[in-house]
Amino acid sequence: KSKNCVEAKPQALLVDSPFTRRDGDTLHSSYTYRRNALARDATTGALKVTPQVHDFRFRTNLKPSRTGVMLVGLGGNNGSTALGAIIANRHGMSWRSRDGTHTANYFGSVTQAATVHLGWDGSEQVYVPFNDILPILSPSDLVVDGWDINGANLYEAMLRSKVFEPTLIDQLRPHMEGIVPKPSIYYPDFIASNQSDRANNLIPGSSKSAHLTRIRDDIREFKQKHELDTVIVLWTANTERFTEVRAGLNMTADELLAAIERNEEEVSPSNVFAVASILEGAHYINGSPQNTLVPGIVQLAKKKNVFVGGDDFKSGQTKIKSALVDFLVSSGLKPESIVSYNHLGNNDGKNLSEQRQFRSKEISKASVVDDMVAANHILYPDGKGPDHCIVIKYVPFVGDSKRAMDEYTCSIFMGGKQTISMHNTCEDSLLASPLIYDLAILTELSVRIQYSSDGGMTYQPFHEVLSLLSIFLKAPVVPEGTPVGNAFMRQFSALTKLFTAVAGISSDSDLQLEFFSK
Ligand code: NAI
């Protein structure tokens, strides 16, 4: 065992790397970042490519912090599923359905159920669990609480959501029945009018600044009660309509704070939650499509050194689209029309059945192929992407089993057409809840990493807009001027390359040069 040997976690990876040094709980690693500097020749238009080498250093605290997650919308389908599954996993629960016996797992979570290719050991390809690369939390470690405008306890919420089998709900009942979401804030203009009968668990009064104070108190008490180092507030409540973004309202942190103070109509509940969270030093993630992360909120996050991330969980139909269109375009086939039809019968579907909330979702679903279109100017010489149509219908009977039907029509060789039709039964909350864990776990890890681009003279945290969460989000919010990536496997590769670099391990180049000799 060399002195550079770093034990990532018991029985996991022993990293014997000249690029790492362990100093107590801190891992120092260095990484050579190779990239091309690019410029167009003004006269010929030729692309000049100059490979460059940059020295990056990372400094990582290897001890995960005690972390709590506060869900806005705890009593909803995602909220009750996310918490119920954590409890089921903690207790190793098994339950029967007509298909047989099932055991709690974390399938669908990249951090818990994906593997990373490290190389060839002489006899086989070696893949390791994602969570062996760097020490990260398990969802079972997360302390969970939250708010809901509906006062049902979490047992009732599970029954209402119709996500888990009754045999599992019965086992979870004693653990969930005593949990009642904290009262929340309800400004009827922001979510669909058909939600009004749910609003029976509200913070009294109509003063937005009083609401802000109360939410801040809730966060502070939660942090103290559970002795937490890190708190993440995550919006998994109803989709709101977009808020206006304009000077005097929310372009700067001061404007937004003043707008709350004067009870400005256009400040949404999610704006109040984001501000409360940031002021309490808690990171804020938006799992819904609305434009919560207005410039004033990003500026406030910068001032307070906390992360914000969003928008809209990428869980079912859009996740597949972000893999499939990348594959088609990378194959040299040209998607010309993408028609995405959904029907769902859960409360999310009910809320989205009104125009302004549907519009928020339509916007976030529509942007997902933009980077793939921009990547291929042979197929898309004028940058105009395929016709892209999104339809969402509310059909109560199908409940949480969202049906997503997609038709992709591509122009292919010599004037031909290829049409792909897909039917996807999404089990919405079972796909979305693992993303809640991943968003929280990777945010917590990001708190522990600092990087240096000046040879180790100065270190800084990641940008306050945490774009590495993009893989889990339909319409990633990124730092101003940063390109947005949606293609799923590229996002996965970027994430694993970053974490292997931080761990001081070579990332998989996919070249397999060692097999070239005869
Ligand atoms: P849901 O309607 O079952 O749950 C939302 C919960 O939020 C409800 O219990 C509601 O009472 C509560 N709520 C509404 N306004 C609130 C407020 N101001 N404060 C506190 N609680 C409030 O919806 P579901 O299925 O859990 O989805 C949640 C969000 O996640 C939706 O915006 C949805 O669009 C988004 N989403 C869900 C995906 C999925 O696959 N399930 C995928 C992508 C996004």
Side-chain angles (χ1 to χ4, degrees):
K1 193 167 161 180
S2 85
K3 68 177 189 317
N4 291 326
C5 207
V6 174
E7 204 161 348
K9 92 176 180 198
Q11 282 107 42
L13 295 188
L14 293 174
V15 180
D16 185 4
S17 163
F19 310 114
T20 61
R21 178 171 60 82
R22 175 92 179 245
D23 177 8
D25 285 331
T26 306
L27 175 68
H28 298 264
S29 56
S30 57
Y31 177 67
T32 306
Y33 181 41
R34 295 173 193 279
R35 55 186 286 271
N36 295 321
L38 303 166
R40 288 261 170 216
D41 186 289
T43 43
T44 65
L47 186 63
K48 186 171 174 222
V49 185
T50 316
Q52 291 185 335
V53 174
H54 303 266
D55 174 24
F56 269 74
R57 310 274 168 103
F58 295 99
R59 200 163 69 182
T60 308
N61 183 337
L62 294 173
K63 270 204 157 154
S65 54
R66 254 187 89 69
T67 299
V69 181
M70 298 190 86
L71 299 176
V72 193
L74 177 63
N77 283 26
N78 287 347
S80 55
T81 304
L83 177 55
I86 284 177
I87 294 171
N89 272 279
R90 275 190 201 143
H91 292 265
M93 288 180 185
S94 295
W95 63 97
R96 293 181 63 205
S97 74
R98 65 181 178 193
D99 296 325
T101 301
H102 309 267
T103 306
N105 64 33
Y106 284 125
F107 287 4
S109 154
V110 166
T111 64
Q112 307 305 306
T115 59
V116 179
H117 184 225
L118 286 192
W120 172 259
D121 73 356
S123 58
E124 60 180 8
Q125 296 284 16
V126 175
Y127 293 84
V128 297
F130 186 97
N131 58 9
D132 277 355
I133 303 285
L134 287 167
I136 55 174
L137 293 170
S138 154
S140 303
D141 299 324
L142 299 171
V143 183
V144 180
D145 202 343
W147 303 264
D148 204 293
I149 56 170
N150 186 267
N153 70 49
L154 270 274
Y155 166 65
E156 293 162 343
M158 276 192 302
L159 285 178
R160 176 176 60 194
S161 73
K162 299 185 188 149
V163 173
F164 290 140
E165 296 286 350
T167 43
L168 175 58
I169 292 180
D170 288 346
Q171 290 183 65
L172 287 170
R173 182 174 185 168
H175 305 277
M176 300 280 274
E177 202 163 21
I179 305 173
V180 178
K182 295 176 190 302
S184 191
I185 49 182
Y186 174 56
Y187 308 152
D189 187 46
F190 284 89
I191 59 174
S193 58
N194 62 28
Q195 299 295 310
S196 59
D197 55 353
R198 257 179 115 98
N200 64 7
N201 187 38
L202 307 181
I203 299 171
S206 59
S207 152
K208 293 189 179 183
S209 76
H211 292 163
L212 176 68
T213 305
R214 172 69 182 267
I215 303 293
R216 289 186 64 178
D217 291 346
D218 288 343
I219 298 170
R220 208 174 314 121
E221 278 165 25
F222 174 68
K223 189 168 182 184
Q224 279 163 4
K225 179 174 164 196
H226 299 283
E227 299 177 350
L228 302 167
D229 306 308
T230 306
V231 176
I232 295 154
V233 174
L234 188 148
W235 181 278
T236 180
N238 286 32
T239 296
E240 296 176 332
R241 69 164 173 84
F242 269 43
T243 48
E244 290 173 27
V245 181
R246 59 174 155 82
L249 174 66
N250 51 20
M251 295 304 287
T252 66
D254 288 343
E255 281 177 5
L256 185 54
L257 292 169
I260 293 174
E261 225 27 67
R262 65 171 187 270
N263 229 20
E264 168 74 55
E265 278 288 309
E266 209 37 41
V267 173
S268 63
S270 66
N271 284 155
V272 174
F273 271 98
V275 170
S277 164
I278 295 165
L279 291 178
E280 288 307 314
H283 312 285
Y284 185 84
I285 296 167
N286 178 27
S288 300
Q290 71 273 350
N291 62 338
T292 307
L293 302 178
V294 293
I297 284 185
V298 173
Q299 195 189 63
L300 192 63
K302 189 184 182 68
K303 278 190 186 167
K304 300 286 173 185
N305 287 316
V306 303
F307 292 125
V308 291
D311 294 334
D312 205 6
F313 305 122
K314 182 161 87 172
S315 58
Q317 182 181 47
T318 309
K319 190 182 215 165
I320 290 190
K321 190 178 291 177
S322 77
L324 186 64
V325 174
D326 182 43
F327 147 71
L328 290 168
V329 172
S330 300
S331 311
L333 301 171
K334 181 183 181 185
E336 299 270 21
S337 89
I338 305 174
V339 183
S340 295
Y341 168 89
N342 306 255
H343 64 262
L344 70 170
N346 56 18
N347 189 54
D348 182 28
K350 188 175 175 191
N351 183 59
L352 295 176
S353 67
E354 286 188 16
Q355 180 53 31
R356 292 182 306 166
Q357 288 68 32
F358 165 72
R359 182 67 188 135
S360 300
K361 193 60 113 182
E362 187 183 35
I363 291 170
S364 92
K365 277 180 171 273
S367 59
V368 74
V369 298
D370 291 355
D371 60 327
M372 304 159 216
V373 170
N376 194 322
H377 57 270
I378 302 170
L379 299 176
Y380 300 104
D382 57 7
K384 184 189 163 303
D387 295 341
H388 194 174
C389 173
I390 290 146
V391 181
I392 303 178
K393 292 292 170 196
Y394 176 51
V395 179
F397 186 74
V398 302
D400 206 60
S401 290
K402 183 172 83 185
R403 313 300 157 94
M405 284 167 256
D406 288 90
E407 185 193 82
Y408 297 82
T409 306
C410 300
S411 284
I412 62 168
F413 191 46
M414 300 298 282
K417 284 197 181 68
Q418 180 185 25
T419 302
I420 303 166
S421 301
M422 188 183 297
H423 186 285
N424 179 358
T425 306
C426 286
E427 297 286 336
D428 240 11
S429 302
L430 295 177
L431 291 175
S433 296
L435 309 190
I436 293 180
Y437 311 143
D438 284 343
L439 287 162
I441 288 166
L442 294 184
T443 301
E444 190 282 330
L445 173 61
S446 302
V447 172
R448 292 183 280 126
I449 302 177
Q450 296 194 315
Y451 74 95
S452 167
S453 53
D454 59 10
M457 305 232 288
T458 54
Y459 280 84
Q460 52 189 316
F462 292 150
H463 192 281
E464 64 277 3
V465 178
L466 197 50
S467 52
L468 64 83
L469 302 178
S470 298
I471 182 173
F472 308 113
L473 298 159
K474 275 204 257 301
V477 180
V478 297
E480 212 183 323
T482 305
V484 178
N486 292 292
F488 184 84
M489 286 316 294
R490 290 181 206 208
Q491 292 174 320
F492 182 73
S493 165
L495 198 59
T496 54
K497 284 193 164 83
L498 175 65
F499 291 143
T500 49
V502 170
I505 304 171
S506 301
S507 55
D508 191 350
S509 71
D510 295 321
L511 281 175
Q512 304 208 15
L513 288 176
E514 63 270 41
F515 297 106
F516 276 27
S517 63
K518 291 213 170 120

